[in-house]
Amino acid sequence: MEQKEKFMIEALKEAKKAYKKLEIPVGAIIVKDGTIISRAHNVKEERNDTTKHAEIIAIQKASKKLENWRLNDCEMYVTLEPCAMCAGAIIQARIKKVYIGTMDEKTGACGSVLNLLQDYKFNHIVEFEKGVLKEKSEKLLKDFFKELRALKSKK
């Protein structure tokens, strides 16, 4: 198993934590020098806070651990393509590379709807790779929304 797949499995574990809380199952981890330095999952519903996406929380935790807002030599693994808010935070944090599980055709900002990471002249360009354990990320999301629709139809 490749290292990127090993780390995406860890992001998927975080996504499953969100799933259990009836949050959209997105998980993110940040890696520096081959070691996970932060992990997070969506808690937007739980906290009633639009900004509580997995990527934002993972960046906050990594910055706290490193005592630096610059995450220059860090990589992020995230199960779903980041939205514009999260892509902006990734750029601002100076993350080196993002590995994405599956793309988000409705709100994705790393190539689906727009590409904030590469199409604009920001002071930092973020490398990214999509499709890492794509099927597992997609299945988790599809299962979640199927279950959510079933729960809502029972009400």
Side-chain angles (χ1 to χ4, degrees), residues 67-131:
E67 297 180 340
N68 195 336
W69 62 267
R70 291 177 187 89
L71 304 177
N72 292 321
D73 296 319
C74 296
E75 298 173 330
M76 178 181 282
Y77 291 78
V78 62
T79 58
L80 181 65
E81 177 184 6
C83 68
M85 173 182 70
C86 294
I90 289 165
I91 293 164
Q92 290 297 317
R94 311 291 196 272
I95 289 175
K96 181 180 178 180
K97 185 169 183 174
V98 178
Y99 294 89
I100 300 167
T102 191
M103 301 303 275
D104 183 347
E105 301 299 326
K106 294 181 181 175
T107 64
C110 303
S112 290
V113 177
L114 68 151
N115 188 347
L116 287 177
L117 299 186
Q118 295 182 330
D119 289 349
Y120 299 88
K121 294 181 181 187
F122 294 118
N123 61 333
H124 179 72
I125 302 295
V126 180
E127 298 173 48
F128 72 95
E129 182 177 330
K130 56 188 178 179

Side-chain angles (χ1 to χ4, degrees), residues 6 16 32 36-37 59 94 101 139 147 149 151:
K6 180 182 88 172
K16 289 173 185 171
K32 181 175 174 65
I36 297 171
I37 61 167
I59 288 169
R94 311 291 196 272
K139 182 177 181 345
E147 188 176 321
R149 282 190 295 275
L151 285 171

Side-chain angles (χ1 to χ4, degrees), residues 14-59:
E14 286 297 315
K16 289 173 185 171
K17 290 177 187 176
Y19 190 120
K20 288 178 185 170
K21 297 177 181 180
L22 293 180
E23 297 273 357
I24 295 175
V26 177
I29 65 163
I30 296 180
V31 173
K32 181 175 174 65
D33 300 325
T35 302
I36 297 171
I37 61 167
S38 74
R39 324 171 152 261
H41 57 275
N42 279 358
V43 290
K44 190 166 120 174
E45 301 293 334
E46 178 184 297
R47 304 256 180 96
N48 285 317
D49 186 337
T50 308
T51 66
K52 294 302 180 191
H53 288 203
E55 301 94 321
I56 302 290
I57 298 165
I59 288 169

Side-chain angles (χ1 to χ4, degrees), residues 5-6 8-9 12 101 131-138:
E5 291 168 345
K6 180 182 88 172
M8 188 61 77
I9 287 170
L12 281 161
V132 180
L133 298 183
K134 178 182 178 189
E135 294 77 20
K136 290 183 188 225
S137 294
E138 281 180 352

